[in-house]
Amino acid sequence: MGIFTKDIKSMEDLLVHGLQDIYYAEQQIIKSLPKMIDKATNRDLVTGLKNHLEETNRQVERLQKVFEKLGQQPSGTKCPAIDGIIQEADETAGEIEDKAVLDAGIVANAQAVEHYEMCRYGTLIAWAEELGHDDIVRYLTTNLNEEKAANTKLNSVALRKGVNTKAASVG
């Protein structure tokens, strides 16, 4: 895919490109989650991030099955959106001195990632349904549901498990 080429000629091509995008994104998330886990201090946040790392590995396996069902080799294509979200998360984390405030920042950054993934999976499901790829919809729907659940858990950690309250009491 290049700036001056038109490699996407059909909705089928668009679906495959979208799958390559989320496949790349999931792999970048797998690389970045351990850093977030290492920086987090709230026990519930650490546990949630560790669980989501395992979940993300399973999501990549599901995406590999999706590619197989479409007769494609699993591959990623660079995704500037997820790279930017992760870069911003790294930069923000580097600017926060207090651990309680850092935990709140980690939650926010993790939610930005989840929202991106929910957007992508929702679109991919709609396209797969439109193209009659019912055999891959369930894999994508499982991934979408896990992303939604991860976002809900992050909300709970921030609001009910005290991350935001503790961060708000700093300074």
Side-chain angles (χ1 to χ4, degrees), residues 10-104:
S10 67
M11 191 166 193
E12 190 77 31
D13 294 341
L14 192 59
L15 173 66
V16 171
H17 179 76
L19 290 167
Q20 291 169 334
D21 179 283
I22 197 68
Y23 188 74
Y24 172 90
E26 294 291 16
Q27 291 174 328
Q28 297 312 303
I29 293 161
I30 287 170
K31 291 177 188 172
S32 69
L33 271 171
K35 295 177 211 164
M36 294 171 93
I37 292 165
D38 288 344
K39 291 177 182 171
T41 59
N42 177 280
R43 185 176 33 122
D44 293 307
L45 178 56
V46 170
T47 300
L49 292 172
K50 284 181 179 177
N51 290 342
H52 195 56
L53 177 57
E54 293 171 20
E55 208 169 55
T56 304
N57 280 304
R58 290 191 300 273
Q59 290 169 355
V60 168
E61 290 170 11
R62 278 187 216 104
L63 287 171
Q64 290 167 344
K65 290 177 184 172
V66 166
F67 280 109
E68 288 170 24
K69 295 239 179 234
L70 294 174
Q72 299 278 332
Q73 281 288 69
S75 67
T77 188
K78 190 158 176 57
C79 172
I82 201 66
D83 287 341
I85 292 169
I86 291 170
Q87 179 183 348
E88 182 179 18
D90 288 345
E91 288 173 6
T92 303
E95 295 174 12
I96 300 172
E97 188 174 336
D98 186 274
K99 296 291 186 186
V101 176
L102 179 58
D103 282 343

Side-chain angles (χ1 to χ4, degrees), residues 142-163:
T142 299
N143 283 9
L144 175 61
N145 290 338
E146 288 176 355
E147 303 301 1
K148 287 178 178 178
N151 185 61
T152 299
K153 289 172 192 168
L154 286 164
N155 271 336
S156 176
V157 166
L159 302 174
R160 289 184 202 72
K161 302 293 183 178
V163 167

